[in-house]
Amino acid sequence: MVMTGKKDAVAPRLYDTPPSVRSVEKRVLIGSRQGAPHFVMRHFTIAPRGHSPEHAHPWEHEVYILAGRGRVRTDDAATDLRPGDFAFVAPMDKHQFVNAGDEPLEFICVVPLAGDDG
Amino acid sequence: MVMTGKKDAVAPRLYDTPPSVRSVEKRVLIGSRQGAPHFVMRHFTIAPRGHSPEHAHPWEHEVYILAGRGRVRTDDAATDLRPGDFAFVAPMDKHQFVNAGDEPLEFICVVPLAGDDG
């Protein structure tokens, strides 16, 4: 059995508690509810002027940029992200994803099961 | 330290041994060489009339369609795939990804470290 679905048919969860997090939508595409044994594929949409929290945690991120213009900030650098770019955030690396453009920033972000709250 | 890169700057590996596999390019974006501790993010491009092997293995796939028109075949079904669609292939499920259109089929496919040959 192969499970398939459409991103737009997945209900988003909104994270919007400024100033730490602003205008972030998360869709869990493939996770423990779908039977995934190890890692979770999520789709994020960050609105213009929005951003994820600046934080660090014991699990990694593997990110692929789908649309928009973004930036990933770390302790000592900021790197622009465009569609077709990827980013690896190692465990315990401080990081923040920011929409740096005028259109929604969309990306895939994969984390271990322990790193997603569903 | 956050590692970033561009998909087009990653050298592809070609899989083309008809009739089992035809016109499949793989780019390993994030894997053990980049320090990934658990899973590998790969980017695949399958040319028109191309396909991955029909096979099953002990590890899962988590797939997100980026471009083109595809189809995933299983023992008893075939499901069309369009950009924005996702697919979860559970461990030991037989599966085959097929380009069902006239443009390159592009997708992200994440597997555990054990499921990628680098």
Side-chain angles (χ1 to χ4, degrees):
Chain A
M1 204 282 302
V2 174
M3 187 279 293
T4 63
K6 294 180 178 301
K7 180 265 289 180
D8 288 333
V10 176
R13 177 169 171 182
L14 177 64
Y15 296 83
D16 191 53
T17 54
S20 63
V21 187
R22 193 183 299 269
S23 303
V24 175
E25 277 187 358
K26 182 182 80 170
R27 289 172 168 84
V28 177
L29 306 184
I30 304 168
S32 54
R33 291 182 191 179
Q34 289 76 27
H38 297 113
F39 46 86
V40 184
M41 177 175 277
R42 301 99 52 88
H43 178 286
F44 284 89
T45 305
I46 303 183
R49 295 176 297 285
H51 55 80
S52 68
E54 182 181 0
H55 64 178
H57 43 62
W59 56 86
E60 72 273 27
H61 285 309
E62 300 190 10
V63 167
Y64 187 86
I65 305 295
L66 302 170
R69 292 172 173 264
R71 189 167 295 139
V72 58
R73 292 181 181 152
T74 62
D75 264 340
D76 54 1
T79 305
D80 288 340
L81 297 170
R82 298 289 179 267
D85 290 354
F86 55 89
F88 172 60
V89 180
M92 297 314 300
D93 280 350
K94 191 185 286 184
H95 59 281
Q96 180 179 45
F97 288 91
V98 176
N99 186 325
D102 300 325
E103 303 290 332
L105 172 67
E106 297 185 40
F107 56 91
I108 295 294
C109 176
V110 185
V111 295
L113 286 186
D116 193 82
D117 53 2
Chain B
M1 205 281 301
V2 174
M3 185 280 293
T4 63
K6 294 180 179 301
K7 179 265 289 180
D8 288 333
V10 176
R13 176 169 170 181
L14 178 64
Y15 297 83
D16 191 53
T17 54
S20 64
V21 187
R22 192 182 299 269
S23 304
V24 175
E25 275 188 358
K26 182 181 79 169
R27 288 172 169 85
V28 177
L29 306 184
I30 304 169
S32 55
R33 291 182 192 181
Q34 289 76 27
H38 297 113
F39 45 88
V40 184
M41 176 175 277
R42 300 99 52 88
H43 178 286
F44 284 89
T45 304
I46 303 182
R49 295 175 297 284
H51 55 80
S52 68
E54 182 182 1
H55 65 177
H57 42 64
W59 56 86
E60 72 274 27
H61 285 309
E62 299 190 11
V63 167
Y64 187 86
I65 305 295
L66 301 170
R69 293 173 173 264
R71 190 167 294 139
V72 58
R73 293 181 180 151
T74 61
D75 263 341
D76 53 1
T79 305
D80 288 341
L81 297 170
R82 299 289 179 267
D85 291 353
F86 54 90
F88 172 58
V89 180
M92 298 315 298
D93 280 350
K94 191 185 287 185
H95 59 281
Q96 182 179 45
F97 288 91
V98 176
N99 187 325
D102 300 324
E103 304 291 332
L105 172 67
E106 296 185 41
F107 58 90
I108 295 294
C109 177
V110 186
V111 296
L113 286 186
D116 192 84
D117 54 0

